[in-house]
Amino acid sequence: EAGVTQFPSHSVIEKGQTVTLRCDPISGHDNLYWYRRVMGKEIKFLLHFVKESKQDESGMPNNRFLAERTGGTYSTLKVQPAELEDSGVYFCASSLGQDNSPLHFGNGTRLTVT
Amino acid sequence: GEDVEQSLFLSVREGDSSVINCTYTDSSSTYLYWYKQEPGAGLQLLTYIFSNMDMKQDQRLTVLLNKKDKHLSLRIADTQTGDSAIYFCAESMKGTDKLIFGTGTRLQVFP
């Protein structure tokens, strides 16, 4: 079984540019999550999809961030325009959604905004 | 409020036991988790404990939960160099799927 895959693994962009991160969850997992770890701090929740619907987007920092999950399969997270403070590691996770079904995380995308 | 705290670093000698500690603030947590992150890799679920349990053992790993003090610990017996990684404590909130993570503890194992 393929795990959660994220692309790209690293991205270096300049302030003001746009970047799109992609996450492919484990096949059959309806729940998809985005998390972010900034500057060695704690990993923070960004948002949660159930299939193609946004269940909880309370962690999205501002309107420069746009997440989509068209068709309920893979998801994208777009940052436009990127700011220096957006640098960090963006993790995607998926789960079956049953009671206490564990979250399976991808390897993350390391984003550096210069 | 939701807050999970961990010490940042722990250094142990190979073969010794490691104890990584975590405190949390929300008493309504349902499950508490330990994740491991090796360099360049994602977060690997190591183990978890339901909030009404005191202890869980899984091979070299022992999780202790003191719900009164809101304190969680992970003990790794016979620590090996391959255990060097960042260990994250996390709690799940009742009624949500959201995980609240700590800052992570970097475990360094030296020979």
Side-chain angles (χ1 to χ4, degrees):
Chain A
E1 174 186 86
V4 176
T5 57
Q6 293 187 244
F7 182 83
S9 56
H10 294 83
S11 180
V12 181
I13 60 171
E14 293 182 353
K15 176 182 171 182
Q17 289 185 322
T18 298
V19 63
T20 300
L21 313 181
R22 174 172 169 143
C23 169
D24 286 78
I26 293 173
S27 177
H29 282 193
D30 287 340
N31 289 267
L32 187 148
Y33 308 81
W34 284 99
Y35 285 81
R36 176 174 77 166
R37 187 177 191 220
V38 173
M39 289 291 290
K41 295 185 178 178
E42 67 272 21
I43 300 169
K44 285 201 168 181
F45 168 85
L46 295 178
L47 87 160
H48 169 207
F49 284 99
V50 176
K51 297 184 181 178
E52 67 274 12
S53 300
K54 290 176 186 174
Q55 186 79 8
D56 181 353
E57 51 184 331
S58 60
M60 294 288 265
N62 52 60
N63 59 9
R64 295 185 294 103
F65 289 75
L66 175 63
E68 294 180 320
R69 194 183 181 195
T70 307
T73 54
Y74 71 91
S75 174
T76 58
L77 179 65
K78 181 192 287 188
V79 185
Q80 179 183 30
E83 297 290 344
L84 298 178
E85 64 264 25
D86 300 332
S87 296
V89 181
Y90 290 77
F91 291 104
C92 175
S94 70
S95 73
L96 280 171
Q98 297 163 358
D99 187 40
N100 196 41
S101 57
L103 269 63
H104 297 263
F105 281 82
N107 287 347
T109 294
R110 181 174 294 278
L111 175 64
T112 302
V113 183
T114 61
Chain B
E2 306 159 350
D3 197 14
V4 178
E5 294 188 356
Q6 302 177 238
S7 53
L8 292 180
F9 299 100
L10 177 64
S11 182
V12 299
R13 188 180 299 277
E14 190 174 18
D16 287 351
S17 292
S18 307
V19 179
I20 303 171
N21 295 302
C22 170
T23 57
Y24 59 98
T25 55
D26 198 315
S27 58
S28 66
S29 299
T30 51
Y31 290 92
L32 295 122
Y33 304 83
W34 284 103
Y35 282 85
K36 175 184 181 183
Q37 185 188 18
E38 297 184 54
L43 296 167
Q44 174 196 354
L45 178 63
L46 280 180
T47 186
Y48 64 92
I49 189 169
F50 188 48
S51 58
N52 69 354
M53 296 170 62
D54 298 323
M55 186 184 86
K56 180 178 180 181
Q57 185 152 5
D58 183 3
Q59 299 181 339
R60 292 191 297 121
L61 305 178
T62 303
V63 179
L64 293 177
L65 175 60
N66 182 328
K67 197 169 181 182
K68 174 177 171 290
D69 294 338
K70 300 188 184 68
H71 182 266
L72 181 75
S73 68
L74 173 69
R75 179 177 181 270
I76 305 172
D78 187 25
T79 313
Q80 302 298 306
T81 54
D83 295 324
S84 295
I86 301 175
Y87 291 79
F88 291 93
C89 165
E91 59 175 343
S92 65
M93 316 309 295
K94 186 176 182 180
T96 79
D97 291 316
K98 193 188 304 186
L99 290 183
I100 308 298
F101 283 89
T103 52
T105 298
R106 183 179 294 275
L107 173 65
Q108 182 177 3
V109 183
F110 58 93

